[in-house]
Amino acid sequence: MKHTPNVSVVLSLVLFFVCAFPFAIPLRAQEPARLAASASAHDNFATARRAPTSPVSRPRKRLVPVRVSDTVEGSRVLVASDASLDDYSSYFDGGRFYVLIPKADVTAAMPDEFKGRGFASASLDQRGGDALLSFELQAGTTPRLSQKFNRLEINFTAQDAAGQTHAPVAQADERAQLQQLLKRVEELEGQVRELRANAVAADGQPPPAAPPATPTAAAATATPEEEEVQAAITGQEHETHTSGPRLQIQGFADVNFRASNGRGTTNAFGLGQLDLFITSQLSEKFSVVSELILEAKRDNSFEFEIHRLLLRYAMNDYLNLSAGRYHSGIGYYNTAFHHGSYFATAANRPFLFAFEGQGGLLPLHNVGVSATGRIPSGSLDLRYIAEVGNGRSARSAVDRTVQTAFDENNGKSYNLGLSARPDWLPGLQTGFSFYHDRLTPTAAPNVDQRIMAAHVVYQSPRYEWLNEAVFIRHKPEGAGGVAAYTPGFYTQFARRFGKAQPYFRYQYVNASGRDFLLRDIGRRNGPSFGLRYDLTTYAAFKSQYDRTARRGLSALDELILQLAFTF
């Protein structure tokens, strides 16, 4: 049994962040552009239709390329993300129409052409940590927004189509809906009369006279369904009732064809992962995030696993607490790209960040608690992460590497990280992290594990350049223990040309032969060439060729064709 590591050091750091940050200062005080936009929206409140925004901090959203299409009435602009867009807001200012999406990254969202019927010009800009859409409306154009989970639709009714609206039909629909509401009110009044009659029969006392029905009383007894109908009649964009948590599910999946010269492998079509991304807002500060994975195994059976399940408490931008199973904050790739392959440029993950079940060498999943947030740093935009969890199993090769319900020892792993997103170069992110654990393999000495990771990433509407390096140190405890070191890195570059995005990646991992935990990894290095083509807004085709040199083995060549989509 290993000694319990001193976790108090980690907890002390978390408490330091909590106590040191001035929670009373306004959030994002260093972003005058965003404050100016908010002030402008307040001044134009009489003409603006706004979605309810939450003051709590949420994870940074990644926007996919904006799509513009023509409609009978004018044009439609589609915005999609890897997270819910229910916190957007819209307003008019100086003849322009604005849509603000908080905590969103637009580096990969700029469309090739941004024009349509109903607006003369448009722009998509990064304002601090937010995304701002701006449209110069043509005379007589009316914008209307519709949002469902991670999709935001902006419909523009142009002047030439404004006179073709079907007002009589709309009025007939409204009358039918009002009749349904009145019928429901009559049913409720009948139920009240019946209850009063039963009360008279029970105690022999006549009930007090019922007040006449008023619109206010009817609204007070209206069901959530009736409130939705009333919202549609009055033109409200969002629900106003609070009927409890609402589950939202978004699906991600991929279909692949793989061909390689590996010994014992065959060319085959295969289903990738079916990822059900589930979110629910429990209250203003509490929310739930979950990721359920269905995956086909080599024996053609299916395996179900909960890869993420987190209860989150968002105090503000400076402190967000989570408890459950999470993706470890080691490096950049593991927190930027989860299981939905649609949002990743390449057809597979870098080998350095391959998941544990696919032979990966890093503890990319963990079960425990974590704290994340911003550090007051002006234009540098520093962010921290602190995690404490069970760590990775090292008992035997047949054990599950992710210790979801049982820890093979009393010690706990911890991970500390710091990143920066400077305002002076939008799209740039740098950071590093330090992970520590003590492993207890069977019939072998305990191992002191330390993992250091650093990354430099740049993403713009045209370019993507990812660079990460990891250094793993395993040292057996006891006299005579010799440390083994495993370095690894990858670099990936992509350039977008319309819907096509060619990319190149080179990766390298060299596990020491003295490391009995990673000796089967050996040395692996080589290039990858690929092309991603966006078929539609929510589906992409990827073609990728990998060549991997292996120490003591012949080189491995593999072709991957993939259809990745979200639904």
Side-chain angles (χ1 to χ4, degrees):
M1 185 65 66
K2 71 177 182 179
H3 298 290
T4 303
N6 188 2
V7 183
S8 61
V9 177
V10 183
L11 298 180
S12 299
L13 289 173
V14 176
L15 291 176
F16 170 77
F17 285 124
V18 175
C19 299
F21 293 158
F23 296 120
I25 64 176
L27 301 185
R28 297 186 178 275
Q30 75 279 11
E31 299 177 9
R34 184 169 184 264
L35 293 178
S38 299
S40 176
H42 179 74
D43 294 338
N44 294 275
F45 183 80
T47 58
R49 184 171 292 166
R50 299 177 60 87
T53 59
S54 174
V56 301
S57 177
R58 297 189 179 184
R60 190 176 178 88
K61 296 179 281 286
R62 296 171 56 87
L63 300 183
V64 300
V66 175
R67 298 287 185 238
V68 183
S69 59
D70 291 333
T71 64
V72 176
E73 294 81 9
S75 60
R76 178 185 298 113
V77 176
L78 288 175
V79 183
S81 171
D82 61 346
S84 177
L85 295 176
D86 60 352
D87 56 350
Y88 79 90
S89 61
S90 61
Y91 58 93
F92 293 91
D93 185 22
R96 297 185 70 88
F97 178 64
Y98 293 88
V99 179
L100 179 68
I101 303 177
K103 293 182 174 57
D105 185 1
V106 305
T107 53
M110 184 65 69
D112 302 320
E113 295 183 356
F114 210 3
K115 60 182 180 181
R117 294 173 57 199
F119 55 91
S121 64
S123 64
L124 175 60
D125 301 308
Q126 189 80 52
R127 298 293 176 88
D130 306 330
L132 184 64
L133 280 158
S134 172
F135 302 91
E136 182 183 355
L137 299 181
Q138 295 176 346
T141 298
T142 302
R144 186 173 180 84
L145 291 90
S146 175
Q147 180 267 333
K148 184 177 180 182
F149 191 56
N150 70 328
R151 304 177 187 183
L152 179 61
E153 182 177 300
I154 311 171
N155 289 282
F156 295 89
T157 302
Q159 184 179 20
D160 55 354
Q164 302 176 9
T165 57
H166 305 284
V169 177
Q171 294 175 358
D173 291 341
E174 291 184 5
R175 285 195 297 269
Q177 293 168 349
L178 286 173
Q179 290 175 358
Q180 292 177 358
L181 284 175
L182 292 175
K183 182 178 179 181
R184 178 58 177 163
V185 170
E186 293 176 358
E187 293 176 354
L188 291 174
E189 290 177 345
Q191 294 175 6
V192 170
R193 286 193 294 269
E194 182 178 352
L195 291 174
R196 292 179 182 276
N198 293 337
V200 172
D203 56 17
Q205 297 294 328
T214 63
T216 303
T221 58
T223 64
E225 290 77 10
E226 293 166 352
E227 292 180 3
E228 292 181 12
V229 174
Q230 184 62 33
I233 295 174
T234 58
Q236 297 178 14
E237 295 292 335
H238 293 269
E239 304 164 16
T240 57
H241 67 276
T242 55
S243 56
R246 285 203 167 188
L247 205 65
Q248 293 181 310
I249 302 178
Q250 184 73 14
F252 302 94
D254 56 276
V255 180
N256 304 273
F257 176 80
R258 292 174 177 263
S260 73
N261 62 349
R263 181 175 300 179
T265 63
T266 58
N267 305 336
F269 292 97
L271 293 179
Q273 294 182 336
L274 173 58
D275 178 6
L276 299 179
F277 180 69
I278 303 174
T279 61
S280 181
Q281 193 72 31
L282 306 184
S283 68
E284 184 183 28
K285 295 183 180 295
F286 281 95
S287 62
V288 174
V289 173
S290 180
E291 217 169 358
L292 310 181
I293 304 297
L294 281 171
E295 187 172 12
K297 301 171 63 178
R298 290 186 62 84
D299 61 358
N300 291 323
S301 64
F302 284 94
E303 179 181 64
F304 170 82
E305 190 170 358
I306 301 175
H307 279 257
R308 280 199 293 170
L309 178 57
L310 286 169
L311 176 64
R312 287 176 168 172
Y313 173 73
M315 178 178 293
N316 51 34
D317 274 1
Y318 302 105
L319 181 62
N320 295 265
L321 301 176
S322 301
R325 175 163 168 161
Y326 53 86
H327 282 179
S328 302
I330 299 177
Y332 169 82
Y333 204 96
N334 197 45
T335 55
F337 303 102
H338 299 285
H339 291 269
S341 61
Y342 169 80
F343 288 102
T345 302
N348 58 6
R349 298 168 66 91
F351 180 75
L352 194 60
F353 287 93
F355 291 126
E356 296 90 341
Q358 301 170 351
L361 63 163
L362 295 176
L364 300 184
H365 296 84
N366 212 337
V367 177
V369 295
S370 66
T372 61
R374 296 175 57 243
I375 299 176
S377 51
S379 62
L380 195 56
D381 195 10
L382 292 176
R383 300 167 187 266
Y384 72 92
I385 183 170
E387 302 169 333
V388 179
N390 289 336
R392 184 172 181 173
S393 172
R395 178 168 294 179
S396 68
V398 298
D399 285 346
R400 288 277 187 174
T401 54
V402 184
Q403 302 181 110
T404 303
F406 172 79
D407 193 347
E408 64 186 19
N409 53 56
N410 289 325
K412 295 294 172 279
S413 67
Y414 66 84
N415 181 58
L416 302 174
L418 186 69
S419 64
R421 299 170 180 170
D423 292 344
W424 46 267
L425 185 56
L428 176 66
Q429 177 176 329
T430 63
F432 68 91
S433 62
F434 175 78
Y435 178 93
H436 180 267
D437 194 13
R438 282 188 172 87
L439 310 178
T440 56
T442 303
N446 292 350
V447 175
D448 181 83
Q449 181 184 58
R450 302 182 183 184
I451 302 175
M452 289 158 284
H455 66 271
V456 178
V457 171
Y458 175 75
Q459 291 179 306
S460 71
R462 298 293 182 187
Y463 296 96
E464 176 187 68
W465 192 18
L466 312 180
N467 302 274
E468 294 197 71
V470 173
F471 192 73
I472 305 174
R473 174 186 179 271
H474 285 163
K475 184 180 185 302
E477 295 181 349
V482 179
Y485 301 96
T486 299
F489 73 90
Y490 79 90
T491 181
Q492 177 176 307
F493 180 80
R495 168 70 160 87
R496 177 174 291 277
F497 298 91
K499 296 183 178 181
Q501 191 176 15
Y503 59 90
F504 167 81
R505 181 168 69 196
Y506 186 87
Q507 52 188 339
Y508 172 90
V509 174
N510 189 4
S512 172
R514 295 197 305 267
D515 192 340
F516 64 91
L517 295 176
L518 301 177
R519 63 178 52 161
D520 60 319
I521 302 295
R523 190 195 74 242
R524 304 187 183 191
N525 62 282
S528 298
F529 303 90
L531 174 68
R532 174 193 171 113
Y533 186 84
D534 292 326
L535 302 174
T536 69
T537 306
Y538 306 112
F541 171 76
K542 306 176 188 179
S543 175
Q544 180 174 314
Y545 166 73
D546 298 333
R547 180 172 179 83
T548 306
R550 301 177 293 176
R551 183 170 59 215
L553 298 172
S554 59
L556 180 65
D557 298 293
E558 184 175 26
L559 173 67
I560 305 175
L561 304 179
Q562 182 182 89
L563 285 172
F565 49 93
T566 175
F567 56 94

